[in-house]
Amino acid sequence: MRGSNKSVAIDLMRGVSIFYIVGFWHLWDLIGSYKFFNNSITKTLTILALSLFVFLSGYLLAGGVGRVRTLGVVEFFKIRFLKIYPPFVLVACVFYFFGLINFPVFLKTVLIVSIFDGPTAPTIWFVGMISIFYLVTPAFVNLAKESRWKFLFAGGGFYLAYAALSYSKAGVDQRVLLYLPSFLAGIWFATQSVVLSLRGKAFGFLMVGASMLLMDHYKSGDPQFAPFFAPVAVFGAVSVYSILVEVEYGEGVSRFAAAIAAPAYMLFLVHRPVYAVVRQIYMPDSPLLQLLALYLIVVPVAYFSARY
């Protein structure tokens, strides 16, 4: 697998997953006029899109593309963590300014402790969770390179410890239990150079199909708070990744992938504040025009934010 082709596949997956979450799942939910979009298929795709993004985050942080040198802990935080944290804090400030969160939630959000003591900020809870994953990445990458068994033992112990905390203490965000395995799987695939077999890919998609059937019978709220969907999240993510990195991409697809991947992180961060601003200034009566207006504003703002 050529590194450049793998990079195209990863850009494509990152971009499509975030554009799906923002452009379809979140904005349609904020408009609130189209309820048909919320069904077992779209709920499963939402979990799959977020888990794929989490998987790719772990994969890239562990040096999954090319021969990325191992970073020291201090260097890792300077180069990787500080790349995502300042925009996250800035957007949290915007959330607070526009009344989307109160001061206690704002403070817990910027200190990255809200997932341990909720409530969490809407939407950007996901980035707070990713930030926590960043903090533990150097340890897990070193363990994975040192010993497979140490990595598996530490990953399992971390998961079980968080699960025990979430079930014993109110306010601990259980969505972490859904996405943490995908992040650890990304580190595992990168450090162990895992290649999923055809049987493994088929099993992953079988899990996704089963999840769509289970969603019809799940009546206990948001499935993202149900850890038993974690196998669907992780197997679905690794199956999509394993298939798409084997595809040969042309120049047009390469440019498209780069174009949608570049603003993905900022698109996720800024779309809700932009919605709040637009709603206060002017919002058309037609739901379709509302969506169109948001698309025409949110995407350029994300591109500008990502560039500058």
Side-chain angles (χ1 to χ4, degrees):
M1 170 57 59
R2 292 181 292 111
S4 59
N5 196 69
K6 182 184 288 187
S7 297
V8 173
I10 289 174
D11 280 348
L12 188 63
M13 287 183 276
R14 289 174 62 239
V16 169
S17 62
I18 292 301
F19 268 85
Y20 168 82
I21 293 298
V22 174
F24 178 72
W25 188 253
H26 279 174
L27 290 185
W28 283 49
D29 182 55
L30 289 172
I31 294 301
S33 297
Y34 299 109
K35 298 300 182 183
F36 66 87
F37 81 95
N38 194 336
N39 55 61
S40 61
I41 295 175
T42 56
K43 287 178 180 178
T44 301
L45 291 177
T46 297
I47 290 176
L48 180 59
L50 290 174
S51 61
L52 181 60
F53 189 86
V54 171
F55 169 85
L56 293 173
S57 297
Y59 185 83
L60 292 172
L61 288 173
V65 175
R67 296 296 180 182
V68 180
R69 64 188 177 89
T70 302
L71 299 176
V73 174
V74 174
E75 193 177 10
F76 175 88
F77 288 121
K78 287 173 63 177
I79 295 177
R80 301 294 178 85
F81 183 75
L82 291 181
K83 184 178 180 180
I84 69 163
Y85 184 67
F88 171 65
V89 172
L90 179 60
V91 171
C93 292
V94 176
F95 267 60
Y96 176 64
F97 179 79
F98 283 102
L100 297 175
I101 54 177
N102 58 31
F103 184 74
V105 173
F106 164 75
L107 189 59
K108 292 177 184 179
T109 298
V110 298
L111 294 176
I112 325 177
V113 297
S114 62
I115 65 169
F116 301 108
D117 187 20
T120 56
T123 306
I124 59 173
W125 68 267
F126 183 75
V127 180
M129 179 188 71
I130 292 288
S131 298
I132 294 293
F133 291 170
Y134 268 59
L135 293 176
V136 300
T137 293
F140 278 109
V141 170
N142 289 333
L143 283 172
K145 292 181 177 180
E146 181 181 338
S147 167
R148 296 181 180 183
W149 291 110
K150 287 182 180 179
F151 173 83
L152 293 173
F153 181 79
F158 185 52
Y159 186 88
L160 291 175
Y162 190 91
L165 179 66
S166 69
Y167 284 104
S168 62
K169 180 180 180 298
V172 178
D173 198 328
Q174 292 188 341
R175 289 173 291 192
V176 174
L177 297 174
L178 182 63
Y179 297 113
L180 175 58
S182 295
F183 188 80
L184 295 176
I187 295 176
W188 179 261
F189 267 61
T191 56
Q192 307 301 318
S193 301
V194 177
V195 177
L196 201 64
S197 66
L198 179 61
R199 183 178 298 177
K201 297 170 190 173
F203 178 75
F205 283 104
L206 181 63
M207 293 287 289
V208 172
S211 173
M212 291 181 181
L213 296 176
L214 288 173
M215 288 288 182
D216 279 331
H217 303 283
Y218 184 75
K219 307 297 181 182
S220 301
D222 189 343
Q224 290 189 85
F225 290 91
F228 61 80
F229 283 113
V232 175
V234 67
F235 283 111
V238 300
S239 296
V240 171
Y241 160 82
S242 298
I243 288 175
L244 293 185
V245 293
E246 293 179 354
V247 177
E248 292 292 330
Y249 299 96
E251 184 65 25
V253 176
S254 177
R255 291 178 179 177
F256 172 74
I260 63 173
Y265 177 63
M266 291 307 302
L267 182 66
F268 192 88
L269 281 178
V270 306
H271 72 276
R272 196 168 189 124
V274 169
Y275 169 78
V277 173
V278 173
R279 187 175 182 180
Q280 290 188 19
I281 298 174
Y282 172 72
M283 186 66 78
D285 294 329
S286 167
L288 184 60
L289 291 178
Q290 291 178 24
L291 282 172
L292 181 61
L294 288 171
Y295 289 150
L296 293 176
I297 296 172
V298 169
V299 174
V301 168
Y303 269 99
F304 179 83
S305 302
R307 185 169 182 177
Y308 298 103

